[in-house]
Amino acid sequence: MLSKKAKIIAVIMGLIVVVNAYLLLKDNDVILKKYYINDAHFAVAKDHEKMLPLDAIVTSSNEHFIAAPVQAVNEVLVTEGQTVNVLSELVVFKQQQTEKEVARLQTERAAYTTELAELEKVFLQLDSMSSETQPNSSMASDSINDGETLNVNLSVELGIEQGTPTAEGIAIIQRAIAETTRQIELLDSQITQLSEYNLLTSPVEGVVKEIVLEGDSIIFNIQSSNKKIIAYVTPKQWQEIELEQFTEITLFEGQDNEFTLDGVVSEKQQIPARNSIAFEEMKRHEKINSSETIYEISILPNEDLFDLPVGTLASANITVNQVFDSFGIHEDWLVQKATDEDEETQYVYMLDENGKTTLASVEELFTYQTKLNQREALLIEGEEEEEVVQETSPRIQTVKLTDENVVKEDKDELTNVAVISGPNELSPIFLNEKERNLNAPTFRPYPLQLFDRSQIDSQWQLILEYWLK
């Protein structure tokens, strides 16, 4: 039999257990595990860009093919490899053949004039569409068809297909208008020179690449002195590239005379690349795999490259995607969960304002590869740290522990980074993909970030003022 004193002690202990259990579970029906946060990403909203790095090469902006009927030619005045200026004499015509050649050129000019009128009509239609719809709208199959067959043919020839973004269609048409206008001006110059002096002249400054006798014609291939940048891409990369995308071009990389300039994507070929000076040079330098299907894209620099010879190697970084006010995290930190509608939705574990775990719905905008710097908190390389106002109480409980469980990552290793939108906080703390109980408290070894001794030299007064307070 227990004594009266033992019974009283047992009752008191029982009451203590009951009261303790009540206090512990009054806000939760389960005991939530407190998670040790050893893999976190302290993010800040910023503008993210996906860059596509490519090997590139300098080449002529245009190749001009000028034909003259053999029976009309009295004398050829240039040779292959010769430098020519605008209106340099190429051919002297026979007097009796001049009128026939002028008539042929005038017929060709009339065809270009008709084409220019059609292009301007299509441009007005697209421009009207652009002002009435959203900037990212795309064209329907009949968007540039007003019932005239020529408009449809133009859309096919220029690569404007159903679903092409309206802005891209406008850019294509504008370039076609500029090229057609230039051809008309060249023909006007040739007609004038031929009528007055019996001469066929060069329409541009450049180099006579080759002179070919083909059938009943002599064809002069003249490469213009204006330069552009050529790069070759895979079918997958081709899909990412759009006209007018910003490009940073680097020439003589790693040399004393290295320099960079800006440019934009001006053209993307619709058919696989074939032999050309640029193609052969890139193949010779093993910058392309000619056994694979690749496509040629043109980049127009914003500065003249007259002093650079054709064949100069370069590198190009094309901005193929850009999102403002977004976050970047490890791609494998994204969590896939099914919704009530059986649709897969992406989430990411993060901390709420009280330092507890939560699962936030996010939208993955694009992915890219970058290097990560290893710190107490992982930050995307190049991402600027923003000053965050300290809250009255820390969001993560801290204890003095040796952080031996943190896995050291190779800072030079490329990591797949997902650019996401969704979290409303300006500086969220993301966690890895490991499954956690929601609303569970968290802790992290103290201090949150290691002391940086380099700040003593530049900020010692602020540090002293902090400790005096």
Side-chain angles (χ1 to χ4, degrees):
M1 295 292 293
L2 294 175
S3 66
K4 184 177 181 180
K5 183 178 180 180
K7 290 181 179 179
I8 292 173
I9 292 174
V11 170
I12 292 173
M13 293 298 293
L15 287 173
I16 291 174
V17 172
V18 171
V19 171
N20 185 66
Y22 170 74
L23 293 175
L24 182 64
L25 301 176
K26 65 177 182 177
D27 294 327
N28 304 282
D29 57 353
V30 294
I31 300 177
L32 291 176
K33 175 183 177 181
K34 183 179 290 187
Y35 289 102
Y36 164 48
I37 303 303
N38 68 332
D39 203 1
H41 177 182
F42 295 68
V44 288
K46 59 169 284 187
D47 301 339
H48 284 89
E49 293 181 343
K50 181 177 181 180
M51 309 291 290
L52 179 61
L54 297 170
D55 291 314
I57 194 168
V58 176
T59 188
S60 296
S61 294
N62 294 291
E63 282 189 286
H64 301 272
F65 295 89
I66 304 165
V70 174
Q71 66 273 17
V73 174
N74 187 39
E75 183 182 3
V76 176
L77 303 176
V78 293
T79 59
E80 291 185 355
Q82 182 175 332
T83 299
V84 293
N85 296 315
V86 178
L87 300 183
S88 288
E89 300 170 358
L90 302 178
V91 166
V92 177
F93 273 84
K94 297 176 182 177
Q95 183 67 41
Q96 62 273 24
Q97 296 292 333
T98 298
E99 292 184 5
K100 291 183 179 180
E101 183 61 16
V102 168
R104 187 188 69 80
L105 293 176
Q106 288 174 337
T107 301
E108 187 176 345
R109 185 190 187 284
Y112 275 115
T113 303
T114 301
E115 182 178 331
L116 179 62
E118 292 297 331
L119 286 168
E120 289 174 341
K121 186 186 299 183
V122 173
F123 172 77
L124 290 175
Q125 292 173 339
L126 291 182
D127 192 46
S128 176
M129 285 178 56
S130 178
S131 62
E132 295 173 0
T133 58
Q134 297 297 323
N136 61 350
S137 63
S138 56
M139 296 178 294
S141 59
D142 59 350
S143 60
I144 55 173
N145 179 15
D146 60 358
E148 297 182 16
T149 305
L150 185 54
N151 275 349
V152 179
N153 291 339
L154 279 175
S155 71
V156 173
E157 291 171 6
L158 296 173
I160 304 177
E161 303 172 353
Q162 183 173 2
T164 299
T166 304
E168 182 176 336
I170 290 175
I172 293 172
I173 293 295
Q174 285 178 319
R175 270 188 293 278
I177 288 175
E179 176 62 22
T180 304
T181 302
R182 188 178 64 83
Q183 290 292 343
I184 292 174
E185 292 172 352
L186 295 179
L187 286 170
D188 285 339
S189 173
Q190 290 178 10
I191 290 171
T192 299
Q193 292 294 316
L194 194 56
S195 300
E196 296 181 5
Y197 307 109
N198 293 337
L199 294 172
L200 181 63
T201 58
S202 172
V204 294
E205 177 183 347
V207 176
V208 180
K209 179 182 176 183
E210 60 181 351
I211 302 173
V212 179
L213 182 61
E214 189 172 297
D216 295 331
S217 298
I218 296 178
I219 300 174
F220 298 86
N221 180 358
I222 300 177
Q223 287 192 327
S224 87
S225 297
N226 293 326
K227 304 296 195 311
K228 64 180 178 181
I229 305 296
I230 290 292
Y232 294 93
V233 297
T234 64
K236 182 179 179 181
Q237 292 171 332
W238 192 92
Q239 295 295 335
E240 293 185 281
I241 293 174
E242 295 180 3
L243 299 179
E244 306 299 327
Q245 283 175 336
F246 175 80
T247 306
E248 183 180 79
I249 305 160
T250 303
L251 291 139
F252 307 111
E253 190 169 2
Q255 303 178 31
D256 293 338
N257 57 341
E258 175 182 330
F259 69 96
T260 61
L261 65 158
D262 298 334
V264 294
V265 177
S266 59
E267 185 180 5
K268 45 186 286 193
Q269 294 288 346
Q270 302 278 337
I271 58 176
R274 53 181 180 267
N275 293 343
S276 66
I277 291 179
F279 185 90
E280 292 300 325
E281 281 297 300
M282 291 288 278
K283 186 168 65 173
R284 187 173 68 85
H285 289 283
E286 298 182 346
K287 299 295 184 180
I288 58 174
N289 185 353
S290 57
S291 64
E292 295 180 349
T293 299
I294 53 177
Y295 294 85
E296 182 179 290
I297 64 166
S298 299
I299 301 165
L300 187 64
N302 61 2
E303 299 178 22
D304 293 330
L305 300 176
F306 292 117
D307 296 334
L308 292 181
V310 169
T312 302
L313 294 180
S315 62
N317 279 309
I318 303 176
T319 303
V320 295
N321 212 327
Q322 185 176 40
V323 179
F324 303 103
D325 296 326
S326 53
F327 301 100
I329 65 168
H330 298 271
E331 185 181 23
D332 55 9
W333 285 15
L334 294 176
V335 179
Q336 302 283 345
K337 288 187 177 293
T339 63
D340 295 336
E341 292 79 18
D342 292 330
E343 295 181 357
E344 288 287 330
T345 303
Q346 288 184 311
Y347 296 87
V348 64
Y349 283 106
M350 59 181 293
L351 299 183
D352 64 15
E353 60 184 6
N354 298 314
K356 295 183 178 181
T357 58
T358 185
L359 199 59
S361 174
V362 298
E363 178 185 0
E364 182 180 359
L365 305 172
F366 62 86
T367 61
Y368 70 108
Q369 286 193 325
T370 188
K371 297 176 183 178
L372 293 178
N373 292 327
Q374 178 65 42
R375 298 185 184 179
E376 265 312 280
L378 293 176
L379 294 170
I380 301 303
E381 184 181 27
E383 184 173 57
E384 297 181 359
E385 297 182 59
E386 297 183 359
E387 182 179 354
V388 180
V389 179
Q390 294 293 328
E391 303 175 4
T392 14
S393 59
R395 293 197 292 178
I396 305 178
Q397 298 179 32
T398 58
V399 294
K400 293 184 178 180
L401 291 176
T402 303
D403 195 5
E404 297 177 347
N405 296 323
V406 175
V407 178
K408 300 297 182 181
E409 296 189 25
D410 183 357
K411 66 180 180 179
D412 292 326
E413 182 180 354
L414 289 177
T415 302
N416 288 330
V417 173
V419 176
I420 61 173
S421 64
N424 296 322
E425 297 186 47
L426 292 176
S427 302
I429 300 177
F430 296 117
L431 308 177
N432 63 25
E433 74 283 5
K434 182 180 177 181
E435 187 173 358
R436 296 173 172 83
N437 292 325
L438 300 184
N439 297 317
T442 59
F443 71 94
R444 181 172 175 82
Y446 182 85
L448 196 60
Q449 292 184 343
L450 296 177
F451 181 71
D452 188 354
R453 295 181 181 274
S454 64
Q455 295 179 348
I456 295 178
D457 295 334
S458 59
Q459 303 185 34
W460 66 269
Q461 292 174 317
L462 295 176
I463 297 173
L464 180 61
E465 181 181 348
Y466 172 80
W467 285 109
L468 290 177
K469 288 182 179 180

